[in-house]
Amino acid sequence: MLDIVHIAKTFNPGTITEKIALVDVSLHLDDGDFVTVIGGNGAGKSTLMNSIAGTFPVDRGSISIDGEDITSWPEHRRAKYIGRVFQDPMMGTAAGMMIEENLAIASRRGKMPTLRWSAPESNRTKFRELLAPLKLGLEDRLESKVGLLSGGQRQALTLLMATMANPKLLLLDEHTAALDPKTAEKVLDITTKIVGERHLTTLMITHNMRDALRCGNRLIMMYDGKILIDVKGEEKKNLTVPDLLAMFEKAAGSELTSDSLLLS
Amino acid sequence: MDLIIPTLSQGLLWSILALGVYLTFRVLDIADLTVEGSFPLGAAAASACLVKGSDPFTAILVAAVAGMLAGIITGLLTTKLKIPALLAGILTMIALYSVNLHVMGKANLSLLQIDTVFTKFSFISDDRQLVTLIVGAAATLFLCLLCYWFFGTEIGAAIRATGFNPNMIRANGVNTDVTIVLGLLISNAFVAICGALVAQSNGFADVGMGVGTIVIGLASVIIGEVLFGTKCFWRCLVSVVLGSVVYRIVIALVLELGMPPNDLKLFTAILVAIALGLPLLQAKYKAKQWKEAAK
Ligand SMILES: Nc1ncnc2c1ncn2[C@@H]1O[C@H](COP(=O)(O)OP(=O)(O)OP(=O)(O)O)[C@@H](O)[C@H]1O
Ligand SMILES: [Mg+2]
């Protein structure tokens, strides 16, 4: 499904602010893999995700989806295959446009826009049916501007938008981090439900170790621009926090507290 | 009393410029100074055509295409060469000054004794001012409807989304370079059409007639938004048109009250500065009151 082969990324090379964000990362995802990604601040998690999404070009290596090499594709072209939810609830929606306008745009993801009417009323039944399971009351507010919604509502809507055009790959970058614990829980429930029902291949970054352990079928931990730990299947199912810490110590050769990883 | 119709017709004619400025300033969220060059470009192109004996509608069409080209150039400068939009607009504006002189062959082109779009419709009434009003109203209405339709289509929605959140629309598979160029193209076509109409209404095109047009456009947009609201896209368009009319009324009033015409630009600039700064001043005032109340 997703093949990342020896990619590397250095920001501001040759300057005093030079920062090696990804050293040499390879990763293969199978169809339907739901991978949680953990690691301390600056470990390179977002950089990995942005490299896949095409926010910036990588320095080396290649990225392909279903055998198609997308390394040189610009961001908007990759969007055909990739749905994304960002950490900032403001990032994923157009605040000044109505809920139905946002949904209409998302329903056409990856297609060339035409001169057809963007948000025809005939879409509404479909949109209501999509929104109703969120249980946020959004199905009755199709004509509200998205800017009027709460952070949690916006994030749930973004999640719906990211998945409605059936992406091959779903990228979630700490998409619940800016929400209060209760709302975060709810958005995460919606996430696991959508991903589970539709068998979406997913990469989810989180700072919450409990979430990382209980969601998905695979877990990777990043450290200093590298993937340090990669566990899947039965091993992942039975994994506990102390197990993870022990694995980290062995792999990184250094002492580590759960605090220093910012994992709760 | 006899000022009402000319004031209204000026307001309507110039509202096409205001619509163009609205499309960049509010829809695309770019302050585009190309306007100061594409307005006289439209005037120059249309006048040059008219002098050569072409049909007024063809002349306006040529002006629109010229405006589009100006918009494309600014768009390419800012998307492909990553020049900040404000600077890109200034570059195009300056370049257009020379271009406009070439188009006209001299600094001023008179349209006296030449058939214009207004003489074409002179069968409506003998009153020249009334004809200007009717033609202005028809052109404005047509362009408003066109705008409303276009920005409701998939392409139009992508342009609007680019202004609100380029990240979002890129994540949805749209090339924002294309939407930005398209937005600038449409905006400057409007501005050039306005220039073409104003030149025909005034009876001349002048290389200096673009000076201050951006500020007139901004003033109209802001006055319209404050007085008539921004509830939906159609409402925004209507507000901009009405804002342009109110702006002309204000100008007519202050001139009537004895302000020297030479001070008009100063007056307009101050008006726009106040209107743009008002939200911030209001917020500061509120915060201060709040602090005092908390004491
Ligand atoms: N656009 C950028 N320009 C310069 N440096 C960057 C940029 N993006 C990331 N970096 C740097 O690259 C390193 C990796 O950052 P990244 O955002 O991938 O970390 P992360 O694992 O997502 O951390 P966090 O948990 O804090 O989100 C950091 O040192 C960061 O400062
Ligand atoms: Mg991050």
Side-chain angles (χ1 to χ4, degrees):
Chain A
M1 161 69 255
L2 175 71
D3 273 297
I4 298 174
V5 186
H6 297 299
I7 61 165
K9 179 72 193 178
T10 301
F11 290 108
N12 313 318
T15 68
I16 42 163
T17 56
E18 177 176 287
K19 175 73 209 174
I20 303 174
L22 292 179
V23 178
D24 174 31
V25 173
S26 294
L27 179 69
H28 170 84
L29 258 56
D30 285 320
D31 242 335
D33 264 352
F34 181 176
V35 184
T36 54
V37 184
I38 56 174
N41 289 109
K45 306 180 297 295
S46 298
T47 307
L48 174 63
M49 219 168 251
N50 292 335
S51 303
I52 300 170
T55 312
F56 41 68
V58 290
D59 304 335
R60 266 190 285 118
S62 75
I63 302 168
S64 40
I65 289 183
D66 277 345
E68 194 168 6
D69 190 335
I70 60 166
T71 318
S72 60
W73 290 19
E75 187 180 6
H76 62 90
R77 189 163 167 215
R78 297 186 196 194
K80 186 160 87 180
Y81 297 149
I82 299 174
R84 303 178 74 184
V85 185
F86 310 88
Q87 175 173 356
D88 179 355
M90 302 298 161
M91 285 271 273
T93 46
M97 297 172 87
M98 295 184 275
I99 292 180
E100 64 173 345
E101 290 181 294
N102 275 274
L103 286 171
I105 288 174
S107 70
R108 296 191 291 271
R109 184 155 41 76
K111 294 204 190 95
M112 199 61 146
T114 68
L115 285 177
R116 273 194 290 269
W117 197 245
S118 172
E121 293 195 10
S122 55
N123 275 343
R124 287 196 180 156
T125 330
K126 189 178 77 193
F127 288 169
R128 283 201 191 95
E129 277 165 13
L130 271 173
L131 288 165
L134 300 181
K135 300 204 179 64
L136 294 169
L138 297 181
E139 61 275 18
D140 304 318
R141 298 177 62 186
L142 283 181
E143 290 181 84
S144 296
K145 297 220 170 127
V146 170
L148 300 173
L149 305 184
S150 69
Q153 288 172 326
R154 281 181 83 156
Q155 219 50 344
L157 179 66
T158 309
L159 192 61
L160 208 62
M161 289 169 57
T163 53
M164 69 192 294
N166 277 321
K168 292 190 179 203
L169 180 66
L170 178 63
L171 301 179
L172 309 169
D173 188 351
E174 296 188 50
H175 69 305
T176 61
L179 309 174
D180 66 79
K182 229 180 108 202
T183 318
E185 186 75 29
K186 185 154 189 196
V187 171
L188 191 66
D189 282 346
I190 298 169
T191 309
T192 48
K193 194 164 154 246
I194 293 180
V195 171
E197 276 170 6
R198 314 248 300 267
H199 300 289
L200 292 173
T201 312
T202 304
L203 268 176
M204 179 175 93
I205 300 177
T206 175
H207 269 299
N208 185 319
M209 185 176 275
R210 204 171 59 90
D211 292 344
L213 288 174
R214 103 188 134 108
C215 299
N217 64 333
R218 186 169 167 189
L219 178 147
I220 61 179
M221 183 196 275
M222 294 193 66
Y223 179 72
D224 256 356
K226 289 187 285 273
I227 294 177
L228 206 58
I229 295 173
D230 184 349
V231 284
K232 48 187 123 179
E234 278 305 305
E235 195 190 358
K236 149 92 166 56
K237 230 180 248 169
N238 302 322
L239 205 64
T240 61
V241 177
D243 292 344
L244 254 182
L245 295 177
M247 286 173 85
F248 177 86
E249 242 168 81
K250 212 168 134 233
S254 68
E255 187 79 23
L256 186 84
T257 60
S258 62
D259 261 10
S260 71
L261 261 178
L262 252 184
L263 302 168
S264 51
Chain B
M1 227 19 225
D2 52 336
L3 269 176
I4 287 180
I5 288 185
T7 307
L8 277 180
S9 53
Q10 284 302 302
L12 285 174
L13 276 186
W14 284 83
S15 73
I16 299 168
L17 166 99
L19 285 168
V21 170
Y22 169 77
L23 291 180
T24 44
F25 189 62
R26 286 300 189 217
V27 174
L28 267 189
D29 199 18
I30 285 176
D32 176 31
L33 288 180
T34 315
V35 169
E36 303 248 327
S38 53
F39 182 82
L41 174 66
S47 304
C49 287
L50 289 171
V51 168
K52 291 218 169 68
S54 82
D55 170 83
F57 290 110
T58 316
I60 292 170
L61 212 63
V62 170
V65 173
M68 287 179 187
L69 291 176
I72 290 175
I73 289 168
T74 304
L76 292 179
L77 288 178
T78 185
T79 57
K80 294 299 168 210
L81 301 184
K82 306 278 174 235
I83 297 173
L86 196 68
L87 187 53
I90 292 175
L91 291 175
T92 314
M93 166 187 109
I94 297 295
L96 283 176
Y97 188 86
S98 302
V99 172
N100 293 340
L101 279 171
H102 279 293
V103 171
M104 294 198 290
K106 49 188 172 180
N108 189 297
L109 215 54
S110 165
L111 296 175
L112 292 176
Q113 315 301 328
I114 286 177
D115 254 356
T116 68
V117 68
F118 300 103
T119 55
K120 253 212 141 114
F121 285 98
S122 56
F123 63 87
I124 298 175
S125 155
D126 289 337
D127 183 351
R128 232 191 89 80
Q129 287 302 336
L130 192 64
V131 174
T132 310
L133 178 68
I134 290 169
V135 172
T140 303
L141 183 66
F142 172 74
L143 290 172
C144 277
L145 288 172
L146 191 70
C147 237
Y148 182 72
W149 166 75
F150 179 76
F151 284 95
T153 66
E154 294 173 5
I155 297 175
I159 297 176
R160 281 192 297 140
T162 304
F164 287 120
N165 187 348
N167 276 309
M168 172 267 189
I169 194 70
R170 265 198 299 273
N172 281 291
V174 172
N175 186 348
T176 47
D177 285 359
V178 173
T179 47
I180 289 172
V181 172
L182 259 181
L184 287 166
L185 171 157
I186 298 167
S187 162
N188 283 289
F190 272 54
V191 173
I193 291 173
C194 182
L197 290 174
V198 167
Q200 295 178 60
S201 153
N202 290 352
F204 65 88
D206 186 277
V207 71
M209 70 194 284
V211 178
T213 43
I214 182 71
V215 183
I216 295 175
L218 287 176
S220 309
V221 170
I222 296 165
I223 292 172
E225 285 178 345
V226 170
L227 293 185
F228 306 104
T230 58
K231 222 171 107 209
C232 59
F233 189 64
W234 178 251
R235 179 69 162 270
C236 288
L237 296 178
V238 173
S239 293
V240 169
V241 173
L242 294 180
S244 168
V245 172
V246 170
Y247 171 75
R248 288 294 152 185
I249 294 173
V250 171
I251 295 300
L253 281 178
V254 293
L255 287 178
E256 195 74 356
L257 290 175
M259 193 172 80
N262 281 344
D263 291 346
L264 263 187
K265 288 204 162 68
L266 178 63
F267 173 78
T268 308
I270 292 174
L271 193 76
V272 170
I274 291 174
L276 285 177
L278 210 57
L280 188 73
L281 295 177
Q282 266 174 340
K284 273 200 179 149
Y285 179 73
K286 272 207 190 109
K288 202 173 147 202
Q289 275 196 324
W290 207 74
K291 255 189 216 154
E292 266 161 23
K295 263 183 210 162

